Amino acid sequence: MTPDAIIESTRANVAAILKERFPQTVDFSDGSYALSYGSSSVGVVVRRYTETDTMVEIMAQVVSSAIITPDLLKWLLRKNAELHFGAFGLLFDDTIIYTYSLPGSKLDASELEAAVTSVAVIADHYDDEIVKMAGGKRMADA
């Protein structure tokens, strides 16, 4: 398969899985998808990775407009060490995110469902703690 065919195949697979497992998913028809879970917003994006594989990135925006302090950053890094997969990070505007990526060309439904659910649950759980610590708004409140 060509790299473009691999991307299209992954996009079709991801779209079908999300439609089946998360019917509320919004499909933007460009390999990106969005869904809400609790107070979090989760995005899924299919990206080119290598000549023979793709990457499926799952990202939840957790808190916006928080006061980014060294203590908060230390807390986020420690959480990254405690959690089983994925990691907290900061976008260009200091929005706190939680993200995880999976290889896409052979992705199965249970893997994607577990990853999306885990990212959503983690974001939904920690957004309240982060707001208490650093202010800002959960994505549901933004």
Side-chain angles (χ1 to χ4, degrees), residues 21-87:
R21 305 283 173 107
F22 303 97
Q24 77 277 21
T25 299
V26 175
D27 182 345
F28 295 104
S29 300
D30 63 356
S32 63
Y33 313 86
L35 62 123
S36 295
Y37 182 96
S39 58
S40 66
S41 172
V42 178
V44 179
V45 178
V46 175
R47 298 194 189 280
R48 187 178 305 268
Y49 180 55
T50 67
E51 291 295 313
T52 59
D53 206 350
T54 57
M55 193 60 60
V56 179
E57 296 177 357
I58 301 131
M59 183 195 63
Q61 294 184 4
V62 183
V63 174
S64 63
S65 303
I67 299 168
I68 307 300
T69 65
D71 286 342
L72 175 64
L73 296 175
K74 184 187 274 187
W75 184 88
L76 292 171
L77 285 172
R78 287 207 170 117
K79 286 298 169 192
N80 285 348
E82 292 172 17
L83 295 169
H84 298 295
F85 67 83

Side-chain angles (χ1 to χ4, degrees), residues 54-135:
T54 57
M55 193 60 60
V56 179
E57 296 177 357
I58 301 131
M59 183 195 63
Q61 294 184 4
V62 183
V63 174
S64 63
S65 303
I67 299 168
I68 307 300
T69 65
D71 286 342
L72 175 64
L73 296 175
K74 184 187 274 187
W75 184 88
L76 292 171
L77 285 172
R78 287 207 170 117
K79 286 298 169 192
N80 285 348
E82 292 172 17
L83 295 169
H84 298 295
F85 67 83
F88 285 102
L90 296 176
L91 294 179
F92 65 92
D93 65 352
D94 286 342
T95 296
I96 298 167
I97 60 169
Y98 191 78
T99 186
Y100 181 66
S101 298
L102 295 164
S105 66
K106 294 180 175 66
L107 185 65
D108 71 32
S110 61
E111 283 179 303
L112 183 57
E113 180 180 23
V116 169
T117 301
S118 295
V119 167
V121 167
I122 288 166
D124 186 44
H125 174 78
Y126 285 108
D127 61 1
D128 293 317
E129 285 189 49
I130 293 169
V131 167
K132 284 180 191 170
M133 216 182 330

